[in-house]
Amino acid sequence: MCTLGANNSMLVERAEAFSRLSTVFDTVSADRAGRLVLVSGCESSGRTSLLRRFTGRAADRDALVLTAAGSHFERGIAGGLLCQLMSDPALPDASRESVERFMLDDSPEGESAVLRPELALTARGVAIALTELAAARPVVLVVDDVELADEISMQVLLYVQRRIASAAVLVVIAEVDPPDPDFAALRGGLCRLGGVERIRIAPLTVSGVHQLLATELGGEYARSHSAGYHRATAGNPRLVRALVADHRRAREPHVGVRSGPAYRDALLTCVHRGDPVLREVARAAAALGELANPSRIRRLTGGSAEAVDSALAALARMGVLGDCRFLLPAGRTTVLGDLSPADSETLQRRAASVLFQDGAPLLEIADRVLAGGVPCEPWSVPVLRAAAEEERVAGRPAAAVRLLSAALTGAEDAADRVVVLTALAAVLFDTKPSRVIGLIPELQLAFERGELTPEEAAQLLRYQLWNGQEADARRTRRMLDTADRSTGGAGGRLLAVRCWTRWIHPGVEQVDLLEPPSDGAAERIRAGAAAMLRRSRLDRGPIEHDALALGALLRLGDVDEAAQWCDLLHEESVSGRSARASAVLSCVKAEIAICRGRAGTALHHAQEALETLPRACWGATLPAPLALSVAASILHRPGSPPAETLQIPVPDSARRTWHWLSYLRARGAAHLVAGRLRAARADVEAGGEMAIRWKVDLPALIPWRSDLAEVHIALGNLDRAKHLLSLQLSRPTGEVGHVRARSLLLMATCQEGGARLASLRAAADTAAACDDQLTRCRALAMLSVAHHANKETAVAAATAGEAMAVARECEVEDLCRQWMADGAPAEPGPPRPPAAEAVPACSDAGRDTLSDAEVRVARMAAEGLSNREISRSLYITVSTVEQHLTRSYRKLAIRSRAELRGAIA
């Protein structure tokens, strides 16, 4: 036996096999003796191309070449392959007509064709005709894919082979390796004949692939990628050449193995040329993917262990599979894509069932269930639901929605359907809240039938309120209250929903049953917000509840704590891929930035919120990001009121939410900036009336009185402004830092002389103490103007420089210049005055007025330390350092650090 390919390259293999066939042909021609050559090799190993080249050479040597090829289609046609062989015009007419008559003559049912006398006569006629032709020139019979030949033709071929031993007839038969079990008996008969030469073509080795690549793509590329090509094809010449063709088409010619159309065509050729079992096994392996193994493939195809194992071995030799998996991912998609949609869905459903029985990973089973189409089968509903939870936890909400939507089509049991429905609504609410609207009616019916838990009913209430379904929300709220009274109380999460409803959607509440705010409200709200955040941290609660708690902390002055919580929650929302949570927290970030005086940052976060979640998905909460965007724009770009943002339509249901109060404040501020004073007063008064009616009238949360006072100041109604500010300071939470600072600031605009200066200083100090940088900046700007009006040029310049420093940090330089435009220097700053106007050294009495803390800070500043360095050394905030320096400048009657050294020496 001649085995080729063990240590030879592709070219040597092909050349050696061709040389061997040529040698046998020469021997037959010289000795005038018949010979049989059996060529074997796996599918697509190059057998057909070898035979084609050999027959061309034999024909050039004046041999009569008769060819035929077996096929699945003609395997059941008696004499089909024989007819192919005997169709050459060079054969005697009698022989060709005898074969044609035999094929047209139907044998009686049940009678063995091999015993019919017509067959013997036909075979004898063929043998005689070949012998006579071989007397004049050599005759070559070539049969490819002999394992697919019909039995009658093979019997004739055996008969002929026995009778042409002394004639110059060469029979070349090519078969698949390993041989087809059904062909074993006939193959044994051929091999028992004398003069049999065997040639086995093995796949290409790495060296063979290297030579092919070097010839086609160059030596450098071959050295780098020949091993990769061999791993991807197992040395199958057809597949290697297909990959080479795809590589040439690629736009990036220097990459490694890249499959494309040529590879897909070649792979399908390999799969379809084999036995039907081989094709079914390849499809089963494709459906099972990385989870394929012989046992699962047998169960999926229904084939015997022997047939499946044989097909797997053949596919491995072809370079299609390796350990039941496709060597290239494109192979799997190609085989699956070759199926019709109906067949593909059927196969995927069966694969899902097999994997489910084996306890495979949920996501793998779910993938097959989805590929199997809808409606899915009832058994798969719990699998899809569990897989969706895995996807949600992993931060892939879109995948979770697909799984739950499919599960909903297969949920036949009412209880299962409710479970899937609530899970789907929860995921959709986190990604595209507007899509929950279509699920709310069915959830409402389930709630009315008592099929929802209290927590699920609370979720339903949130969906209804977010999407502006107020009437349904009121009915749901009443039913929840009734259920609570019957069970003896509500759980923590349900209480949180009620708190959120109370503050964000007061229009849904029975306002006449609510108590108005009273003394101690600030501490109660602060404690409730902290408790809500801690509870949410332990048991991931709704993000809008967290936003409510964060907003309360912000308005009560706990900005740093709120910022820390916000950063933590935002990190979780990003990892969880919740668009709604990210958008809501972007709003919180914008509000934090405004509280810290970062106008540009606030505008960025507000716009980011509107970009993260489309406007249609905000529902009744749309005024929240719009109000923040307007407020930040007014601060950051005072010369261009945000008219475009104000023109965005707001749902009618949003006008009965807390967010509408914020929107009215922002719109009133925009009207005030634009000089539309009547419109500004109307908006602010409307917001104040709603706050009183809804019993949420707390200055720390909605300081509408100071907004209205500013409008009245612009209108010249100073007495009315004073009354509003006095009333605000006397209200519960009116003592909160930012409320008091702004009230004092506006009160100063209603005063004159020393009272005005005192109020402005108190406003600046109060704002600095609570880190309200915007109010501090405005107070300093107004104080600079007041000093300038009193001819206190040095103090005015120093105060203006301090105001601009704060403005730069707050990103509101333009606004600060606008505040100082009336009587202040065009470009305020702290330049050292000329010598003639130098400020005299301060007296001992001035130094005695400094506190110990102010002395420490002033001395360190005089030594050249920056504010940040001082804060680190003394373990105080930068803001506190600035406050101490401001007081020191005022008490020492100086205006710059350069004068500190002499002043405190």
Side-chain angles (χ1 to χ4, degrees), residues 532-756:
M532 185 181 292
L533 288 169
R534 288 194 299 271
R535 184 166 55 245
S536 178
R537 185 65 179 151
L538 294 173
D539 180 17
R540 181 72 270 142
I543 195 63
E544 59 268 30
H545 297 182
D546 295 334
L548 170 63
L550 292 174
L553 292 179
L554 282 174
R555 291 173 173 84
L556 293 173
D558 299 332
V559 179
D560 290 340
E561 182 180 356
Q564 291 173 2
W565 275 106
C566 185
D567 290 341
L568 179 63
L569 293 169
H570 190 265
E571 183 179 348
E572 293 177 355
S573 73
V574 170
S575 62
R577 304 288 178 86
S578 173
R580 192 176 64 90
S582 296
V584 169
L585 290 172
S586 291
C587 285
V588 177
K589 284 189 170 185
E591 194 166 0
I592 290 172
I594 289 177
C595 290
R596 286 177 165 172
R598 306 293 192 272
T601 304
L603 183 60
H604 166 74
H605 286 307
Q607 292 173 344
E608 183 180 50
L610 289 168
E611 291 170 1
T612 302
L613 201 64
R615 294 174 191 169
C617 290
W618 282 95
T621 64
L622 179 60
L626 295 181
L628 288 165
S629 180
V630 170
S633 295
I634 292 172
L635 296 173
H636 191 58
R637 302 166 184 165
S640 55
E644 183 178 347
T645 304
L646 290 171
Q647 290 172 359
I648 295 175
V650 176
D652 183 66
S653 59
R655 301 171 187 270
R656 288 175 290 278
T657 67
W658 171 273
H659 305 302
W660 183 245
L661 301 184
S662 300
Y663 184 83
L664 287 176
R665 284 193 68 209
R667 192 170 70 181
H671 288 319
L672 180 61
V673 169
R676 296 186 291 270
L677 301 183
R678 292 180 181 277
R681 184 176 63 182
D683 277 345
V684 177
E685 286 179 344
E689 291 171 0
M690 295 175 76
I692 294 172
R693 185 170 66 253
W694 290 342
K695 299 181 181 180
V696 293
D697 182 17
L698 290 171
L701 305 183
I702 185 78
W704 65 272
R705 289 180 179 84
S706 56
D707 296 340
L708 187 56
E710 190 159 7
V711 176
H712 278 294
I713 290 171
L715 289 169
N717 303 328
L718 300 186
D719 290 339
R720 177 59 178 163
K722 287 181 183 179
H723 174 72
L724 287 167
L725 293 170
S726 299
L727 186 60
Q728 177 164 280
L729 287 169
S730 66
R731 295 282 302 166
T733 73
E735 75 284 356
V736 172
H738 70 90
V739 178
R740 181 172 179 77
R742 186 163 180 239
S743 298
L744 291 172
L745 173 71
L746 294 176
M747 188 72 77
T749 62
C750 303
Q751 297 169 330
E752 296 293 339
R756 182 185 183 91

Side-chain angles (χ1 to χ4, degrees), residues 822-880:
D822 185 14
E827 286 294 335
R832 188 177 184 88
E837 300 177 5
V839 179
C842 76
S843 64
D844 293 339
R847 287 195 297 270
D848 292 342
T849 61
L850 297 180
S851 67
D852 292 340
E854 291 167 349
V855 170
R856 285 194 298 270
V857 171
R859 283 176 177 169
M860 296 178 75
E863 292 171 1
L865 274 69
S866 68
N867 288 1
R868 189 169 298 279
E869 290 170 335
I870 297 172
S871 71
R872 290 173 181 170
S873 299
L874 299 179
Y875 299 100
I876 58 178
T877 65
V878 174
S879 176
T880 303

Side-chain angles (χ1 to χ4, degrees), residues 27-28 31-36 127 131 134 158-171 193-195:
T27 302
V28 169
D31 297 345
R32 314 303 293 177
R35 299 289 296 274
L36 171 66
T131 302
L158 281 171
Y159 182 93
V160 170
Q161 183 64 24
R162 295 189 190 100
R163 285 158 177 76
I164 58 173
S166 59
V169 179
L170 173 60
V171 180
L193 298 174

Side-chain angles (χ1 to χ4, degrees), residues 273-287:
R273 285 192 64 184
D275 188 89
V277 175
L278 184 144
R279 186 166 59 252
E280 294 303 316
V281 167
R283 290 172 174 173

Side-chain angles (χ1 to χ4, degrees), residues 224-372:
S224 301
H225 302 294
S226 56
Y229 273 74
H230 189 270
R231 284 193 302 271
T233 62
N236 184 328
R238 182 190 298 273
L239 297 181
V240 174
R241 291 188 178 277
L243 289 174
V244 168
D246 287 329
H247 177 82
R248 284 175 170 159
R249 292 192 188 99
R251 294 183 178 180
E252 301 177 20
H254 297 294
V255 297
V257 178
R258 170 173 290 186
S259 60
Y263 176 79
R264 292 193 291 270
D265 293 343
L267 185 81
L268 290 177
T269 300
C270 294
V271 171
H272 282 280
R273 285 192 64 184
D275 188 89
V277 175
L278 184 144
R279 186 166 59 252
E280 294 303 316
V281 167
R283 290 172 174 173
L288 293 168
E290 293 298 315
L291 301 181
N293 61 36
S295 173
R296 289 171 178 164
I297 291 175
R298 283 196 295 270
R299 288 154 55 200
L300 186 53
T301 60
S304 65
E306 182 181 2
V308 170
D309 291 344
S310 176
L312 287 172
L315 289 167
R317 286 191 298 272
M318 287 182 199
V320 176
L321 297 181
D323 194 21
C324 299
R325 288 138 178 101
F326 285 83
L327 296 181
L328 282 181
R332 183 187 180 206
T333 57
T334 296
V335 171
L336 289 176
D338 189 47
L339 291 164
S340 67
D343 290 342
S344 178
E345 290 182 359
T346 301
L347 180 62
Q348 294 286 4
R349 289 190 180 196
R350 289 167 54 199
S353 179
V354 168
L355 293 176
F356 176 71
Q357 293 165 11
D358 284 0
L362 293 174
L363 291 178
E364 295 286 351
I365 302 172
D367 284 345
R368 275 76 180 178
V369 173
L370 289 180

